[in-house]
Structure formats: C-alpha cells, structure tokens
Amino acid sequence: GPLSAYNVSALSQNQILKNALERNDILNGTQIVANSKTSEEDKITINETVKYLSLKHRPYESQYLPADFIYNDENFSKLFGFSPTYSRYSTLDSKGESNNYYFDFNSAMSTKNYDKLFVVNSLYSPGNKTYGNYAMSNNGGRIKIDYKDDKKEFNLITFTTREIYDKMIALKKSKDILDIEDLAIKGVAQNIRYKILFTSISGYPMEDDELECYVEFYLLVASEE
C-alpha cells in the first residue's frame, strides 16, 4: 500500500544522500568515511540532506548517519571531513523545502473512473520496474512507461523529472499549498486512459544547469474498450 509522506521523504532523501556519498567515495558499505576532497556541489547536497534527515526525521532512520548523530557544524565536520556548505540556493527564487513536494496522505485523492492503481516507488536512474502490464524505466531522469500484453505493445507516456520539477517550482510561486491534482499528468493512449499523481518530488540543482530529481507517483489506468 501507499507509504506515509513521512516515510516517502526519508526514502527519497536517503537515496539522494547515498548518490552524493558514492560519487565522492565517502561510503564504505554503509559506513561514512570522511573525505575533505568532496566536490563543492556535493558538499551542499550532503549538508542539505543530512540537515533535513536530522531535523525532520530521526538519525537512526537514515541508512548512513550514526544513530546518535546530532546535527551541528562540529559534528558534521568530524563525520564528513569538511564544513557544512550552504550556498546553492542563493541564486534560486525558491529556497530550502520549496524544492520538495510531499503529498499529505491524509488528504483526499480521487480514483474515480480508473480501474487500477499502481504505487511506483524507488524508480531510480538507471532502473527498470514492471507493474502488471506496465514496464517503467528511468534513464537520467527520463521516465518511460510502456504497455505490453499478448497482442500489443506501445508507449503509454514518456516524461522527464525536470518537467515535473519545473512545474512544481512554478506552481509554488503562486500557491502556498499544492494539491496532488496540480501536478497530475492525464491522457489516453490506444484506448487506455491514464493519470499520474505525484506523491513525492525532491529536486537538487547541480552544476551546468543539471538537476538531480527523484519522484514517486501513483499510476492510475482504465481501459476505454
């Protein structure tokens, strides 16, 4: 069944942290090994995710932070081998948590006119998952959803996490609280009606206008035949 927004946010932040740690050879299994030569961009990513996990969650819920970790400059520097870096969002209109969206699972969500609902979690790049007749892939933030049965195979929809992230940022400039329908993608492909409802979006701008973005969503489908 659906994860709580609390657990979804922990999962997505842990994955972003893991990616940054692995890029800089800071992980030995699940143990953190200090590395002062970490890239400047990843210093920011690591600080932001560690701060988020420490303040919004409990350290032992992270796969990588020590269970007794308390976030402050001294403890952070001892653990990672460099001081916290805060500069990424200085050039952005949105700051901090504005770069994230988590659906409040206590809120209402309509599934009317759809027969099936698939909960799509942990679709990391590069990666593939299959849900019934639907095959999904994530290659560099390009998510492709294909339908396949004994008689036919076709692309249901392809979208990029960048498109979803940019739409979220634009909407947050005009709305304090986003509704799950605000970011929905709807359409029909070869008599299959679909709707994608995003339950988690976490975006981190990188160098050269690159974006590391992780999304989780519900895929709702119905046959029009």
Side-chain angles (χ1 to χ4, degrees):
L3 294 171
S4 69
Y6 180 88
N7 287 332
V8 166
S9 69
L11 284 171
S12 62
Q13 296 296 316
N14 268 308
Q15 182 63 31
I16 291 168
L17 177 60
K18 178 185 178 185
N19 291 345
L21 296 178
E22 288 181 340
R23 278 195 297 270
N24 295 277
D25 297 321
I26 299 176
L27 273 186
N28 181 7
T30 59
Q31 299 297 311
I32 292 173
V33 180
N35 181 8
S36 61
K37 296 181 180 180
T38 299
S39 74
E40 291 304 312
E41 277 293 315
D42 283 330
K43 284 181 180 179
I44 301 169
T45 296
I46 291 166
N47 177 54
E48 287 169 352
T49 52
V50 168
K51 183 176 181 180
Y52 185 92
L53 286 166
S54 299
L55 300 181
K56 299 287 186 178
H57 296 269
R58 293 174 285 273
Y60 63 78
E61 292 175 315
S62 168
Q63 301 170 31
Y64 311 106
L65 296 177
D68 59 351
F69 181 78
I70 297 174
Y71 180 84
N72 58 44
D73 287 3
E74 181 180 359
N75 290 340
F76 183 96
S77 298
K78 286 181 180 178
L79 182 60
F80 292 99
F82 55 87
S83 299
T85 308
Y86 304 97
S87 61
R88 170 178 297 140
Y89 294 113
S90 60
T91 59
L92 297 181
D93 291 331
S94 54
K95 294 180 172 61
E97 289 185 59
S98 293
N99 291 282
N100 300 314
Y101 163 77
Y102 304 112
F103 173 57
D104 179 359
F105 287 99
N106 294 316
S107 302
M109 182 188 71
S110 174
T111 59
K112 185 179 179 181
N113 299 324
Y114 293 93
D115 301 329
K116 296 179 181 179
L117 183 153
F118 300 98
V119 180
V120 183
N121 294 322
S122 306
L123 185 61
Y124 304 122
S125 175
N128 300 274
K129 286 199 166 191
T130 300
Y131 299 80
N133 295 106
Y134 299 89
M136 306 186 192
S137 64
N138 183 352
N139 290 296
R142 183 175 182 268
I143 294 179
K144 187 171 180 249
I145 304 177
D146 294 327
Y147 176 87
K148 183 178 181 180
D149 62 20
D150 295 336
K151 298 179 181 180
K152 58 186 176 182
E153 180 177 357
F154 60 90
N155 176 241
L156 188 74
I157 183 175
T158 299
F159 63 90
T160 68
T161 55
R162 181 79 195 219
E163 294 167 358
I164 307 307
Y165 173 84
D166 287 346
K167 183 177 181 181
M168 175 195 71
I169 293 297
L171 284 169
K172 283 199 170 192
K173 291 179 180 179
S174 59
K175 294 187 69 173
D176 292 332
I177 300 175
L178 298 187
D179 183 86
I180 194 168
E181 292 286 347
D182 292 337
L183 296 163
I185 301 175
K186 303 176 186 178
V188 179
Q190 297 199 24
N191 295 318
I192 293 181
R193 186 170 64 259
Y194 64 85
K195 179 162 73 169
I196 295 173
L197 295 173
F198 292 93
T199 55
S200 172
I201 304 169
S202 297
Y204 289 87
M206 310 294 283
E207 294 178 344
D208 301 323
D209 200 38
E210 293 295 318
L211 175 75
E212 182 169 339
C213 185
Y214 172 77
V215 299
E216 308 217 356
F217 55 90
Y218 293 148
L219 172 66
L220 292 80
V221 293
S223 174
E224 294 195 333
E225 295 179 344

